[in-house]
Amino acid sequence: MGDNDLSGELPAFEESKEYQMTHLWIYNNNLSGSIPATMGTTMKHMTMLLLYGNELSSVLPSTMDMLTSLTWLDLASNQLSGNLPNEFYSSTSLENVYLNYNWFWGNVRPRIKNLVNLKELWLDNNYFSGEITSGYRFLEDLTSLQLHNNSFTGELPEVFCDLVNPPSGAPLDVTLNCNRQLHTEWQDYVECNCCTESQCI
């Protein structure tokens, strides 16, 4: 149901039922309202949830961690806001997470290290702030980390440099606001002594 002109809100799924759906793709439509909390309690077989390119608002439901089979979560380009709930950091099945181009704020907590299966994490173009956690270094399968166009500050943890420019193996695909000339006058930036020009934007 992607790339259509669907409008309205997502239905509140009946709590008394357990749906067998494994994929829900309603991307690039005109859906509004919030993501129902009952989605987490009734769709435990869901592996892919693609709702990007809509007008969804409110916060990320705390029941998302109950989607214990979910590997692919794409909520990019909506109007979602608030802190990432504590329960998000317990969603250990997640492999690909795209929350970019929303209105999320607050810091990304060190508990991000619990998401050990993450391969791609895109948090760019939000309102996240605070220092970048060293928890990312525990994500051994991570290949792409997009953090630019937020309000992160401070100095990139030294252990992070082993991911950005590893002594062996493929470097992490990462982008940060670490170009001092571009960001000192209008946006917070991150000090990174090991980042290349292509990683600092």
Side-chain angles (χ1 to χ4, degrees):
M1 290 185 284
D3 293 316
N4 282 291
D5 198 25
L6 300 175
S7 59
E9 299 186 4
L10 290 168
F13 303 96
E14 294 185 40
E15 287 195 61
S16 59
K17 294 184 179 180
E18 184 172 321
Y19 298 87
Q20 301 300 310
M21 187 182 303
T22 60
H23 294 65
L24 183 58
W25 297 358
I26 319 181
Y27 54 86
N28 289 337
N29 281 283
N30 296 306
L31 298 179
S32 58
S34 59
I35 299 173
T38 50
M39 181 179 288
T41 58
T42 60
M43 292 194 167
K44 297 181 181 179
H45 301 282
M46 180 82 67
T47 61
M48 297 185 72
L49 179 58
L50 277 61
L51 298 176
Y52 64 86
N54 282 287
E55 297 175 10
L56 297 172
S57 57
S58 192
V59 298
L60 198 63
S62 60
T63 54
M64 294 298 288
D65 67 320
M66 299 180 72
L67 297 172
T68 53
S69 299
L70 191 66
T71 62
W72 196 296
L73 176 64
D74 194 339
L75 303 177
S77 299
N78 278 286
Q79 298 169 18
L80 299 168
S81 61
N83 286 286
L84 296 181
N86 285 329
E87 292 79 5
F88 171 77
Y89 301 98
S90 300
S91 305
T92 54
S93 61
L94 288 171
E95 297 179 5
N96 297 76
V97 176
Y98 308 100
L99 301 178
N100 46 317
Y101 288 97
N102 277 287
W103 298 346
F104 290 112
W105 63 70
N107 203 350
V108 178
R109 299 171 190 170
R111 290 181 61 205
I112 194 73
K113 68 181 182 181
N114 295 338
L115 305 186
V116 294
N117 292 307
L118 274 183
K119 295 179 173 63
E120 294 194 350
L121 178 61
W122 292 13
L123 302 177
D124 57 279
N125 291 283
N126 279 285
Y127 296 94
F128 291 114
S129 59
E131 295 193 357
I132 293 178
T133 174
S134 59
Y136 295 114
R137 71 186 178 100
F138 297 99
L139 305 178
E140 296 181 356
D141 293 333
L142 195 64
T143 59
S144 181
L145 178 64
Q146 308 300 312
L147 300 176
H148 58 280
N149 291 348
N150 281 288
S151 295
F152 292 117
T153 56
E155 187 172 347
L156 198 69
E158 230 175 89
V159 293
F160 204 95
C161 291
D162 292 336
L163 297 174
V164 175
N165 292 305
S168 62
L172 176 68
D173 173 26
V174 61
T175 54
L176 299 161
N177 288 133
C178 51
N179 187 322
R180 182 192 296 264
Q181 292 180 334
L182 288 178
H183 298 291
T184 49
E185 294 186 4
W186 64 277
Q187 190 179 37
D188 296 317
Y189 71 100
V190 176
E191 290 277 3
C192 180
N193 298 321
C194 58
C195 295
T196 65
E197 287 186 8
S198 62
Q199 294 163 337
C200 288
I201 61 174

